[in-house]
Amino acid sequence: MKIFTSEKMKKIEAAANEKGLSYLEMMENAGNACADAIYKHFACTGKNIAIVCGKGKNGGDGFAAARRLKDLGCNVSVVLACGLPVAEDAIIMFNRMKDIEAYSFDSEWAKEEIASADLIVDAVFGFGFKGEPDEKTAEVFEFINRSKAVVASIDLPSGVECDSAKVSKSCIRADLTLAISCRKPAHVLLPACKYCGKTIVVDIGLDTGVVREEFITFGKKPMKILPTRNDTSHKGDYGKVLSICGSFKYPGAAVLAATGAVKLGAGLVTAAFPEKAYLAIASKLTEPIMMPLPCCEDGFLARGALDKLLHESEKATTVLIGCGLGQTLGTASIFEEMLSSCKKSLVIDADGINLLSMNINIPEAIKGRTVITPHPGEMARLVGLTVQQVNDNRFALAKLFAKKYGVVVALKGANTVVSDGDRVYINRTGNPGMSRGGSGDLLAGMVAGLLAQGFEPFEATVAAVCLHGAVGDYAAKKYSVHGMTPSDMAALLPELLSQYE
């Protein structure tokens, strides 16, 4: 699936223009292609269609679509949401509508056209929209949303920000969105994708191959991810994970992290944790090797555990650190020493990320291949922004941080974003039932399990994120989004994986 930002789309259009396809011709092609798709999708011969147009280029697409739909036998009227068009090409398209009535939204005629329409075509704003519409335009959107008509949006529902996927308070809710040439981030990212309804791509003759594809995404079912195992293989062929996770207060984090690595096929998993948490953790784990270590009175790892951890890390393929670790002087000392000394693949999660945020220069000293898996709050601490600012710029921040520090970032949340500083993967699996403690610990273990088996960091993280969401969806169907737990997800992983081997 091709996904391009607004800036990439501008470059694609500019390249087409340089090759002789004028912007006016692109507008005509867009209007015709959208009209044909609407006509085919809704079988709207003889139906009343109100096309609500803005004063920019998206409005020009709407004017072109109006002419085409009228030629196809539909009863068409045009409503001017923001007054007469001002974009040069849009003015030309407006003047070509010689036998189609156009009404200003201020008139009672316009409101009647919208209220009596079988279908409303939204052509107010395109991929250049940001922020909030003015009060008058917001009134148009609210009027459309209150109507009983089916709504089709050209390129994006008006009120959606193309790249951030933010939505305005009065954003139009479409039943069908006609993505021109390709999908944009808002078509697949929450919350905007929920306002798009069904999204279909319409071809207007642009060559999207002139710019490099920035995003990677799959459908809601993972592809075949895990490699075929050799009949004569043994446990040593599938890597060794050292999981430094958990504490007396958070034993479940150690359990879920180690289980994730085991379930994704790591050959050997060693669970290193404070000895005070031994009974709580060892009673829940069967396959991993137990490594109880010195701890402080509160049940967090003490610096005395460092030598054993460094020795064990030399035998490991991948080290996972942070889940339920705590943020004490002892754990901070262990964390910094492990990062500066360990030469193996690293997965850093939870308290590991919180400790990292206290000294953001640490990543420059990392010698191994590293994956970090922050949620928005942890990412906010890493980059010195608010959670809202992180959520408003998810893929840009993930990409910039990954590039700056040479790591792979999995920024968790709805539509988890994975980046290595070059590529960006947008995940489409998962559901709100996964929003509970322990889900991230399981994911971190899954990433570590794949890294241990020889996956490259970006590929391992993408595969783990996709499968993590997929098993979340599987658990939701079985137990409901309210009743499912991360432990349920872990237990269902083998059953899910059997469908993809």
Side-chain angles (χ1 to χ4, degrees), residues 177-237:
T177 297
L178 306 151
I180 296 175
S181 297
C182 62
R183 284 177 171 83
K184 287 82 178 173
H187 293 128
V188 297
L189 285 174
L190 290 167
C193 64
K194 292 293 186 182
Y195 288 73
C196 293
K198 180 180 180 180
T199 298
I200 60 176
V201 177
V202 295
D203 181 16
I204 68 167
L206 301 184
D207 179 9
T208 57
V210 297
V211 297
R212 189 176 63 82
E213 208 170 331
E214 187 171 8
F215 300 99
I216 303 167
T217 187
F218 310 128
K220 296 207 170 185
K221 287 191 175 181
M223 303 180 302
K224 183 181 185 300
I225 290 173
L226 302 181
T228 302
R229 293 201 166 199
N230 191 304
D231 290 343
T232 59
S233 63
H234 57 83
K235 61 189 177 184
D237 294 329

Side-chain angles (χ1 to χ4, degrees), residues 22-33:
S22 71
Y23 286 104
L24 184 64
E25 288 172 316
M26 291 181 217
M27 187 175 285
E28 183 78 28
N29 291 350
N32 289 343

Side-chain angles (χ1 to χ4, degrees), residues 309-482:
L309 286 171
L310 288 172
H311 177 72
E312 192 66 26
S313 71
E314 293 176 2
K315 298 183 287 182
T317 311
T318 298
V319 175
L320 163 60
I321 186 167
C323 306
L325 193 65
Q327 300 175 56
T328 65
L329 290 175
T331 58
S333 178
I334 289 170
F335 178 76
E336 291 190 23
E337 189 63 36
M338 289 299 298
L339 260 62
S340 61
S341 302
C342 181
K343 300 178 182 179
K344 306 301 174 69
S345 298
L346 285 167
V347 180
I348 304 173
D349 185 47
D351 281 326
I353 297 170
N354 291 326
L355 292 168
L356 189 66
S357 67
M358 298 175 188
N359 185 355
I360 198 58
N361 293 319
I362 290 176
E364 297 173 1
I366 293 174
K367 297 181 175 65
R369 304 177 304 164
T370 303
V371 176
I372 66 168
T373 56
H375 58 57
E378 291 161 349
M379 191 67 180
R381 288 189 282 276
L382 277 177
V383 297
L385 297 174
T386 66
V387 173
Q388 187 62 55
Q389 287 171 322
V390 168
N391 282 329
D392 288 347
N393 300 277
R394 288 171 57 77
F395 55 81
L397 283 173
K399 186 177 181 181
L400 285 170
F401 190 94
K403 190 173 186 66
K404 181 177 181 179
Y405 293 106
V407 300
V408 171
V409 175
L411 180 51
K412 296 181 290 193
N415 297 121
T416 291
V417 175
V418 181
S419 181
D420 60 359
D422 179 31
R423 296 165 290 181
V424 178
Y425 165 74
I426 300 173
N427 189 50
R428 300 179 68 199
T429 61
N431 63 81
M434 299 166 66
S435 303
R436 61 191 76 212
S439 290
D441 305 320
L442 179 64
L443 173 62
M446 291 169 68
V447 174
L450 292 180
L451 275 175
Q453 294 172 73
F455 280 65
E456 290 299 314
F458 181 74
E459 285 73 17
T461 310
V462 167
V465 165
C466 188
L467 284 170
H468 183 253
V471 79
D473 292 337
Y474 199 57
K477 288 182 180 178
K478 193 173 181 71
Y479 300 116
S480 82
V481 293
H482 292 92

Side-chain angles (χ1 to χ4, degrees), residues 262 279 368 414 427:
V262 169
L279 290 178
N427 189 50

Side-chain angles (χ1 to χ4, degrees), residues 104-113:
S104 169
F105 182 73
D106 292 332
S107 71
E108 288 304 316
W109 287 104
K111 294 181 176 63
E112 179 59 31
E113 291 296 323

